[in-house]
Amino acid sequence: MTRNGSPGDAARRFSVAPMMDWTDRHCRFFHRLLTRRALIYTEMITTAAIVHGDRARLLGYDQTEHPVALQLGGCEPRALADCARIGADLGYDEINLNVGCPSDRVQEGRFGACLMAEPALVGDCVAAMKAKVAIPVTVKCRIGIDEQDPEHSLEVFATAVEQAHVDALIVHARKAWLKGLSPRENRDVPPLDYDRVFRLKAAHPKLQVVLNGGVPSVEQAASFLGRVDGVMMGRAAYQEPWRLMAVDPLIFGDAPSFAQAKAAVQAYGPYIQRELAHGTRLASITRHMLGLFRGVPGARAFRRVLATEAVKPGAGVEVLTEALAQVVDSGTDLAHIAA
Ligand SMILES: Cc1cc2nc3c(=O)[nH]c(=O)nc-3n(C[C@H](O)[C@H](O)[C@H](O)COP(=O)(O)O)c2cc1C
């Protein structure tokens, strides 16, 4: 538990990572159908976008998404504090600061992963946000950047944010190389070092530490829980969302929300109808479920129907019904999950 002992602490045992262009509100609503308990994150939203942009579009979310964390990108304590306050007033359950993204655009703004080199500034950012909100303020970082020695860089960084009373530190367990690797390569090429994260937790027992990076399954996530306080899953959760159906039973000891993935899709129907009525394109919603049946007979046909039909102008919920009809009812979705 963190100092606050907030409700988010338990949810942080398993979270779905913030992913730009992926974890939009349609995706989050869908993931919430698959797991009631996991903490889910928005895409990164910059302070500049919140200050100058269309707030309702950027920050709007559905009440069923709770617990949901807002991830901010920025490096200016006052702007971050103001945006954290806006997020808290909208009812978000946690504010998270991105110190892991290595894209050029983010580097130009002097935030994201390059802040690993400025622990004191990140400490100031956390302190400023915490002064403005009562909800947890967390940071997502790397183990180091460029030539930094992760043994030293992560220790200095964690100490700075812990002194600022951060509520949790989520560590993507690999370095980021700011020059020479694309953001995508930076998610695969630098080697994973889980032991560095386990040592961080051992050295900072009061700091809530969440491990991220390359976790392939919920079973694997569960196996890490003795050594860290939580696990964050990104690509495996997005690309094969059926995995999320195992989160409530395996991580939280709860019954799954649905025994079968098909039932979860059917439960998504009213939301989709509502969105279509407001002018959302079907494909903007269904693109997040393409991997739902991976490994199940009919999965390819499901994907193909959605990929070809849902993009057509005027496509309605009947396209989803047709796609679902391609999937063979095995009655063994949960066995598939446990495999
Ligand atoms: C498409 C995509 C977009 C991402 N966008 C963000 C982001 O907005 N903020 C962030 O902190 N990390 C972002 N990440 C990194 C993930 O949050 C996560 O740290 C990374 O993918 C490693 O976890 P995984 O191996 O479980 O996917 C993104 C990753 C992907 C694949």
Side-chain angles (χ1 to χ4, degrees):
M1 295 286 274
T2 54
R3 293 168 184 82
N4 304 352
S6 69
D9 292 350
R12 230 173 274 123
R13 284 166 65 79
F14 187 96
S15 52
V16 180
M19 290 178 278
M20 288 279 257
D21 193 42
W22 287 8
T23 51
D24 64 13
R25 64 193 175 88
H26 307 311
C27 174
R28 298 193 305 264
F29 191 101
F30 176 54
H31 285 175
R32 180 57 72 220
L33 287 168
L34 302 171
T35 163
R36 290 193 202 92
R37 302 289 305 273
L39 177 61
I40 54 181
Y41 283 75
T42 66
E43 308 164 89
M44 179 186 75
I45 306 176
T46 64
T47 51
I50 293 175
V51 171
H52 305 294
D54 175 353
R55 263 182 222 171
R57 187 181 60 78
L58 290 166
L59 298 176
Y61 69 96
D62 192 281
Q63 288 306 316
T64 60
E65 287 177 37
H66 290 295
V68 56
L70 169 65
Q71 189 188 55
L72 297 177
C75 63
E76 213 277 291
R78 177 109 65 94
L80 282 166
D82 290 345
C83 291
R85 183 58 188 267
I86 290 167
D89 287 347
L90 286 170
Y92 279 97
D93 298 288
E94 170 184 318
I95 304 295
N96 175 265
L97 176 65
N98 181 333
V99 185
C101 178
S103 79
D104 288 344
R105 191 173 66 85
V106 159
Q107 284 184 53
E108 276 161 27
R110 224 179 113 236
F111 59 95
C114 56
L115 287 176
M116 286 299 298
E118 300 194 60
L121 173 59
V122 177
D124 290 347
C125 293
V126 170
M129 289 190 281
K130 283 204 63 90
K132 279 273 185 95
V133 301
I135 56 174
V137 172
T138 66
V139 171
K140 178 166 177 279
C141 70
R142 299 275 185 144
I143 58 174
I145 50 168
D146 299 335
E147 303 300 337
Q148 285 183 333
D149 169 9
E151 224 45 54
H152 179 71
S153 53
L154 188 60
E155 173 57 27
V156 172
F157 187 85
T159 301
V161 294
E162 193 174 22
Q163 282 172 356
H165 302 300
V166 77
D167 291 279
L169 183 61
I170 301 143
V171 188
H172 183 176
R174 55 163 59 91
K175 276 180 143 185
W177 290 91
L178 299 181
K179 294 276 171 279
L181 290 185
S182 68
R184 192 186 180 134
E185 289 167 331
N186 259 313
R187 293 196 281 266
D188 282 317
V189 175
L192 284 166
D193 187 352
Y194 291 162
D195 285 339
R196 179 64 194 95
V197 183
F198 298 145
R199 283 197 298 281
L200 176 77
K201 175 62 197 178
H204 294 257
K206 289 191 178 145
L207 176 65
Q208 190 168 115
V209 175
V210 174
L211 174 89
N212 167 245
V215 177
S217 67
V218 178
E219 290 78 358
Q220 178 86 262
S223 77
F224 290 148
L225 283 180
R227 283 173 286 177
V228 284
D229 301 290
V231 175
M232 171 182 273
M233 183 185 276
R235 287 162 292 183
Y238 184 84
Q239 289 162 349
E240 299 192 338
W242 56 265
R243 294 187 182 284
L244 294 176
M245 295 173 69
V247 169
D248 294 359
L250 287 182
I251 306 282
F252 297 99
D254 279 1
S257 16
F258 297 98
Q260 291 208 321
K262 262 192 181 185
V265 176
Q266 277 148 359
Y268 202 17
Y271 173 87
I272 297 176
Q273 297 275 24
R274 205 165 65 231
E275 285 295 323
L276 293 176
H278 285 107
T280 304
R281 284 172 54 245
L282 182 66
S284 307
I285 304 172
T286 54
R287 71 189 180 104
H288 302 300
M289 57 170 73
L290 296 177
L292 182 60
F293 295 102
R294 194 171 288 175
V296 172
R300 276 197 182 174
F302 172 79
R303 225 185 142 96
R304 191 179 56 242
V305 170
L306 289 184
T308 56
E309 302 301 318
V311 290
K312 292 186 176 160
V317 80
E318 69 285 349
V319 171
L320 187 55
T321 309
E322 186 194 338
L324 272 185
Q326 313 299 312
V327 181
V328 174
D329 269 318
S330 62
T332 56
D333 281 11
L334 285 178
H336 168 75
I337 283 164

